[in-house]
Structures are given as C-alpha cells and as structure tokens.
Amino acid sequence: MKAPDGTAIDRTKEVILGDCGINWNDDGSFDFDGSGTQPDWDSQETATLAGQTVFFDEAGREWLESQLIPDDAEELPADQIKPWYIDRALRRVEIVNTVEALMVRVTGKKIAAKDCQALTRAITLLLDRSEPT
C-alpha cells in the first residue's frame, strides 16, 4: 500500500504508556525529576483515529487506512489529496470516540448505548450548524 501521493507506507503509529518521576514544589505544583520516562512496553498499541489504523509513509506523514491506495494504483494529483478531517463522517466518529473516552476517564464508566446514540445525534447537529454552506 502507498499514500495517495505515491509515497510508500512503511510503518504504523504506536502509543506506549510510561511513567516519569516528579518532585513536588511547596505550592503544590510539580517538576519532572530528570530521570526520564520509563516506557511500559506491555502497553504498546497501534494508534487509531476515527476507528482507523494510523500509518506513516517514508517521509513521516500520517495517513488513515481509508486514505491508502494499492501499490499499482495511480497517484492522486496533489489538489485531490485531502486531510482526514475534511471527511465529515470521520470527524463525527473521532468526536464521539473522544467524548466516550473522556466519560470513562472522568466517571470510570462506559457511556450507555442509548446515551451514545444521543451524543452522536447531538454531534451531527453541531457539525451541521458549524459547517459553511
């Protein structure tokens, strides 16, 4: 597979959690202690955006799975290559995913299916109102 401009896709984007030592200040703030981040290699996951795997091309540019083209396909002209966020459906998926993840982080609970449907409708309405006609 290759990027729409013909550049070879050669890797995925990975997310690795880690921890870093800190020192507490008298005012309650903190500074990093200089020991550096210790990666937790067992936490490694392939990054996704709007439900799609994120890839890098040889030049280091990011592409979503739906943007890739087969090796034998004709490259797209530069003016036809659009960033993923131009695609309204992908933006909606990413916004819903972000809100769902925030809910889990804040409340510790997954959002209920009925609430997710309402959230998706609300986000669709907001996108409809915010996009130029």
Side-chain angles (χ1 to χ4, degrees):
M1 298 297 278
K2 61 185 178 182
D5 65 359
T7 309
I9 298 296
D10 62 355
R11 59 196 181 276
T12 59
K13 184 175 189 177
E14 299 294 310
V15 176
I16 301 169
L17 301 178
D19 61 80
C20 184
I22 59 171
N23 294 317
W24 288 100
N25 299 319
D26 292 336
D27 64 359
S29 64
F30 67 90
D31 292 311
F32 296 104
D33 68 5
S35 63
T37 301
Q38 300 302 313
D40 173 10
W41 295 109
D42 292 334
S43 72
Q44 181 175 350
E45 290 184 12
T46 301
T48 60
L49 187 60
Q52 297 184 46
T53 300
V54 180
F55 293 91
F56 283 110
D57 65 19
E58 291 177 332
R61 292 176 299 233
E62 291 184 20
W63 301 96
L64 293 183
E65 192 170 356
S66 64
Q67 294 178 291
L68 305 184
I69 60 175
D71 287 330
D72 59 354
E74 221 27 63
E75 291 84 24
L76 295 175
D79 63 344
Q80 290 183 18
I81 301 172
K82 305 286 187 232
W84 73 270
Y85 52 81
I86 297 295
D87 186 322
R88 185 174 187 273
L90 293 177
R91 286 196 341 262
R92 184 177 57 242
V93 169
E94 185 58 15
I95 293 168
V96 170
N97 289 348
T98 301
V99 171
E100 285 180 307
L102 181 61
M103 290 292 295
V104 170
R105 205 163 94 199
V106 171
T107 67
K109 299 176 185 172
K110 289 192 114 182
I111 191 167
K114 65 179 177 62
D115 296 330
C116 187
Q117 292 167 351
L119 174 63
T120 301
R121 284 194 303 271
I123 289 169
T124 301
L125 181 63
L126 288 171
L127 285 172
D128 287 346
R129 291 182 178 176
S130 66
E131 291 177 333
T133 53

